[in-house]
Amino acid sequence: MKSVEAWMQKLGDRAPIGTFERMIEVCESQAADGGGKRIVLACAEDAKLIEAMELARERDIVSPILVGNSSGIEGAARSVSVNLDAYEVVDVPDYQAALKESVDMLVRNDADILMRGAVPAVDFLKAVLARRHELGIPGLLTQVSCLEIPDYHKMLLMSDAAVVIKPTLQQKKEIIINAISVANALGIALPKVALMAAVEVVNPAMEVTRENAIISKMGDRGQIRGALIDGPLSLDVAAFRSAAELKGVKGEVAGDADILIVNKIEEGNILYKSLIRFAHAQTGSVLVGSHKPMIITSRVEVQNNELHSIALASLLHTFYNRRPTEAA
Amino acid sequence: MKSVEAWMQKLGDRAPIGTFERMIEVCESQAADGGGKRIVLACAEDAKLIEAMELARERDIVSPILVGNSSGIEGAARSVSVNLDAYEVVDVPDYQAALKESVDMLVRNDADILMRGAVPAVDFLKAVLARRHELGIPGLLTQVSCLEIPDYHKMLLMSDAAVVIKPTLQQKKEIIINAISVANALGIALPKVALMAAVEVVNPAMEVTRENAIISKMGDRGQIRGALIDGPLSLDVAAFRSAAELKGVKGEVAGDADILIVNKIEEGNILYKSLIRFAHAQTGSVLVGSHKPMIITSRVEVQNNELHSIALASLLHTFYNRRPTEAA
């Protein structure tokens, strides 16, 4: 906890990061302090991702390493007018071999962040999990999405909308722990975690409410640390004080959630898409659970989603390494 | 189908109803043609609902009947400055008796629409289902929500976010059939029904995608009529042409859904709340599955939700009775 506080202090103004623009500025200043990240794009023959890499490089957040078929990479870069002079390109024509080499770079500590390129998510995860021990993956790898919503008063985190189909209780616990670390990296010392449901009462006939009651009590007992955890809560009660008051729901989480935990991938996906498409949320997502952050952006079109994801992964990497603490 | 078409024609301009304001206008003109609805508010001692009733009465959509403790009703009305001169007030002090009398009015055809007042939803549903046969409830009663979203090009229906916790295949079929009738009442002859999932592929490991594939095929085989049904579809692919194109999903539903069918109450609730709270959707909801529409609005604060629900129920009642066809 102490190093978390030291980290918060190092963030500068001690206020949690509330926008992606601010997140990028923090990353820039950390990079300027010698903390620039080496990011490897596995199977890099993808124009859109190279474009995102270039945006992140121009903002001085990362030094990119592109692994894959070099002629394919060059073609993709040309198609989006990116000059590869400042890039390290590693020519590995076979895509399985390129994937393996990318993961190896992380294991060898030749890179800080791994990003999925032109390779199916299933293959990517398989290659990563094959090196589970060396990459420091004790449990689940889970996706944490960070949302900047025009109508919400702070960054809202959400998990898991992309990896775990229907988590068990143990998996839900790991999902929460992973999300807490991202909240910490944003400068939220004690995040408020809302466990999503359709109601606030524990209804024995509703599995989700039973599960969320159990997880809440785990939180009370200190079995999940570093957060205030409460549920079952529905979205409006979790996020809006007026709804919490109307329904008479007390507690520190209701009306002011930092993290929303969903119960199934469909629930997460529908909330994520709804916030992007209808509420114009900006997003960035990171795969959490290993020593080094990873990125598996999807093809969903969201403005600067990839750039934000790179910044988020970079921030998280610095947080893991407590560089500010070491330097202090 | 023929009577549906006659109904569409009667709607006037043959274009589906795209806003709640237009819906209210259609209800007004139907009421002016002698189709004004008698709505009974069961356990009417509720200021907010009496206020909504007054709005609907002022717009000439309904003639309200207030059943319950008359002194409680008068007090509630006074607190929101509603003059009860134009109301029928039926004094039934005991709340269970008031509930029973309200349902009886529907059965006796002394009323067209039933609305839940100051009584728990569970008790309300129990009282209604006790008269299942007389009220013409062959299967499920399900909630259909109608959403007017600033960024969507038409009314979007959604079901079920309020009644069925986790529908079986048979129940999902009934949910769809009930939603289709509401789409028809809005003037959509052949609604496009999207079955929600987190992905578009049928992944044998994901139960929801298996279920949705089965339901889609039921649609293809004519086992659910009067709609184009497709799924699994994620929200963005269901509702946005650009997302459907990006993911290469063909078919008539993708990118242009009229109805979203969710898989669990949590999924529906989170989508509904997200659209209301973060995307500023206007809503109205109706309980479908009986001969006569019912309304069980929740305490969620949405501008004019109750008025819209009354208009929707009124429109649906007229559609069920095919009054335009009879008059033709």
Side-chain angles (χ1 to χ4, degrees), chain A residues 117-128:
Chain A
V119 51
V122 173
D123 291 355
F124 179 86
L125 289 172
K126 204 180 281 177
V128 166

Side-chain angles (χ1 to χ4, degrees), chain B residues 272 283-285 297-298 300 302-310:
Chain B
Y272 181 75
T283 67
S285 297
T297 55
S298 74
V300 174
V302 200
Q303 185 87 33
N304 287 328
N305 178 36
E306 293 82 9
L307 172 64
H308 296 158
S309 298
I310 294 168

Side-chain angles (χ1 to χ4, degrees), chain A residues 8-304:
Chain A
M8 311 281 164
Q9 204 158 350
K10 269 285 173 185
L11 279 181
D13 53 10
R14 286 167 164 264
I17 291 171
T19 64
F20 282 110
E21 187 48 38
R22 171 92 183 110
M23 188 189 295
I24 290 168
E25 286 165 12
V26 169
C27 289
E28 279 179 309
S29 78
Q30 288 173 352
D33 285 348
K37 305 303 173 192
R38 299 157 302 170
I39 182 170
V40 53
L41 181 60
C43 305
E45 309 87 342
D46 184 301
K48 194 187 175 201
L49 294 179
I50 291 176
E51 213 172 11
M53 215 49 100
E54 178 70 359
L55 285 176
R57 198 192 63 77
E58 282 172 348
R59 301 271 327 235
D60 288 323
I61 304 173
V62 289
S63 310
I65 307 162
L66 308 180
V67 179
N69 181 315
S70 62
S71 67
I73 291 171
E74 281 153 23
R78 245 192 326 272
S79 76
V80 285
S81 307
V82 171
N83 180 333
L84 292 180
D85 285 353
Y87 286 70
E88 185 181 340
V89 177
V90 181
D91 184 31
V92 186
D94 176 69
Y95 105 88
Q96 285 287 3
L99 187 51
K100 187 174 179 310
E101 172 58 19
S102 303
V103 176
D104 282 350
M105 281 185 171
L106 242 65
V107 171
R108 292 197 309 261
N109 201 25
D110 286 342
D112 304 308
I113 300 167
L114 178 62
M115 186 164 185
R116 173 174 78 112
V119 51
V122 173
D123 291 355
F124 179 86
L125 289 172
K126 204 180 281 177
V128 166
L129 292 175
R131 312 296 295 275
R132 174 182 279 283
H133 297 294
E134 294 148 297
L135 290 170
I137 306 176
L140 283 185
L141 279 178
T142 58
Q143 174 99 324
V144 180
S145 291
C146 192
L147 295 141
E148 181 182 341
I149 309 169
D151 277 359
Y152 199 55
H153 57 286
K154 55 185 172 181
M155 280 285 200
L156 189 60
L157 302 182
M158 190 183 101
S159 194
D160 175 304
V163 180
V164 189
I165 296 171
K166 180 175 182 344
T168 60
L169 279 175
Q170 178 58 33
Q171 289 176 328
K172 208 180 254 189
K173 192 174 153 184
E174 292 177 35
I175 286 170
I176 294 170
I177 290 167
N178 287 348
I180 291 170
S181 69
V182 178
N184 289 159
L186 289 175
I188 306 163
L190 195 64
K192 299 174 181 179
V193 179
L195 309 173
M196 292 288 93
V199 294
E200 286 74 39
V201 291
V202 180
N203 177 344
M206 295 174 93
E207 184 191 11
V208 160
T209 69
R210 298 195 309 266
E211 279 185 10
N212 289 348
I214 295 168
I215 299 276
S216 288
K217 190 49 70 179
M218 284 183 176
D220 293 344
R221 291 289 181 267
Q223 291 169 266
I224 305 170
R225 293 192 188 180
L228 297 166
I229 300 173
D230 198 8
L233 292 172
S234 64
L235 178 64
D236 55 345
V237 171
F240 294 92
R241 201 77 76 180
S242 61
E245 280 166 13
L246 185 76
K247 293 255 186 97
V249 180
K250 313 272 185 233
E252 290 177 277
V253 178
D256 193 36
D258 293 299
I259 300 173
L260 305 180
I261 300 294
V262 298
N263 306 287
K264 288 197 71 178
I265 199 167
E266 288 83 20
E267 221 178 297
N269 194 274
I270 211 165
L271 175 59
Y272 181 75
K273 302 276 178 72
S274 161
L275 291 173
I276 289 170
R277 287 291 187 163
F278 293 113
H280 309 291
Q282 295 196 64
T283 67
S285 297
V286 64
L287 198 62
V288 187
S290 71
H291 285 160
K292 300 201 170 180
M294 302 183 193
I295 302 169
I296 47 162
T297 55
S298 74
R299 285 177 298 164
V300 174
E301 325 114 281
V302 200
Q303 186 85 36
N304 287 328

Side-chain angles (χ1 to χ4, degrees), chain B:
Chain B
M1 209 56 191
K2 202 159 180 188
S3 62
V4 174
E5 278 154 21
W7 162 261
M8 310 281 164
Q9 204 158 351
K10 269 285 174 184
L11 278 181
D13 53 11
R14 286 165 165 267
I17 291 170
T19 65
F20 282 110
E21 187 50 35
R22 171 90 184 110
M23 187 188 295
I24 290 168
E25 286 166 10
V26 169
C27 289
E28 278 179 309
S29 78
Q30 287 172 352
D33 285 348
K37 306 301 172 193
R38 299 158 302 173
I39 182 168
V40 52
L41 182 58
C43 305
E45 307 87 344
D46 184 302
K48 194 186 176 202
L49 295 180
I50 291 176
E51 213 171 13
M53 216 48 102
E54 179 69 359
L55 285 177
R57 198 191 63 77
E58 282 173 347
R59 302 263 340 227
D60 289 324
I61 303 173
V62 289
S63 309
I65 306 163
L66 307 181
V67 179
N69 182 316
S70 62
S71 66
I73 292 171
E74 280 153 22
R78 245 191 327 269
S79 76
V80 286
S81 306
V82 171
N83 179 333
L84 292 180
D85 286 352
Y87 286 69
E88 185 181 339
V89 178
V90 181
D91 183 31
V92 187
D94 176 71
Y95 104 88
Q96 285 288 3
L99 187 50
K100 186 173 179 310
E101 172 57 20
S102 302
V103 176
D104 282 351
M105 282 186 169
L106 242 65
V107 171
R108 293 195 310 261
N109 201 26
D110 286 343
D112 303 308
I113 300 167
L114 177 63
M115 186 163 185
R116 173 174 78 113
V119 51
V122 172
D123 291 355
F124 180 87
L125 290 171
K126 203 180 280 179
V128 166
L129 292 174
R131 313 297 294 276
R132 175 181 278 284
H133 297 294
E134 294 148 296
L135 290 169
I137 306 176
L140 282 185
L141 279 178
T142 58
Q143 174 99 326
V144 181
S145 292
C146 191
L147 295 141
E148 181 182 339
I149 309 168
D151 277 358
Y152 199 56
H153 58 286
K154 55 185 173 180
M155 280 285 202
L156 189 59
L157 302 181
M158 190 184 100
S159 196
D160 176 302
V163 181
V164 190
I165 296 172
K166 181 173 179 348
T168 61
L169 280 175
Q170 178 59 32
Q171 289 176 328
K172 209 180 254 190
K173 191 174 154 184
E174 292 176 35
I175 286 170
I176 294 170
I177 291 167
N178 286 348
I180 291 170
S181 67
V182 178
N184 289 159
L186 289 175
I188 305 163
L190 195 64
K192 299 174 180 179
V193 179
L195 310 172
M196 291 290 92
V199 292
E200 286 74 38
V201 290
V202 180
N203 177 345
M206 297 174 92
E207 184 191 11
V208 161
T209 68
R210 298 196 309 266
E211 278 185 11
N212 290 348
I214 295 168
I215 299 276
S216 288
K217 189 49 71 179
M218 285 182 175
D220 294 345
R221 290 290 181 265
Q223 292 170 265
I224 305 171
R225 295 194 186 175
L228 297 166
I229 300 172
D230 199 7
L233 291 172
S234 63
L235 178 63
D236 55 345
V237 172
F240 295 91
R241 201 77 76 180
S242 61
E245 281 166 12
L246 186 77
K247 294 257 185 95
V249 179
K250 312 273 187 230
E252 289 175 277
V253 177
D256 193 36
D258 293 299
I259 301 173
L260 305 180
I261 300 295
V262 298
N263 306 287
K264 287 197 71 179
I265 198 167
E266 289 83 20
E267 218 178 297
N269 194 274
I270 211 165
L271 174 60
Y272 181 75
K273 302 276 177 70
S274 161
L275 291 173
I276 289 170
R277 286 290 185 164
F278 293 113
H280 309 291
Q282 296 195 64
T283 67
S285 297
V286 63
L287 198 62
V288 187
S290 72
H291 286 161
K292 299 198 171 182
M294 301 181 193
I295 301 169
I296 46 162
T297 55
S298 74
R299 284 177 297 164
V300 174
E301 325 114 280
V302 200
Q303 185 87 33
N304 287 328
N305 178 36
E306 293 82 9
L307 172 64
H308 296 158
S309 298
I310 294 168
L312 185 59
S314 171
L315 189 78
L316 189 62
H317 185 271
T318 304
F319 173 71
Y320 283 163
N321 286 273
R322 304 284 198 281
R323 290 198 179 156
T325 313
E326 289 157 21

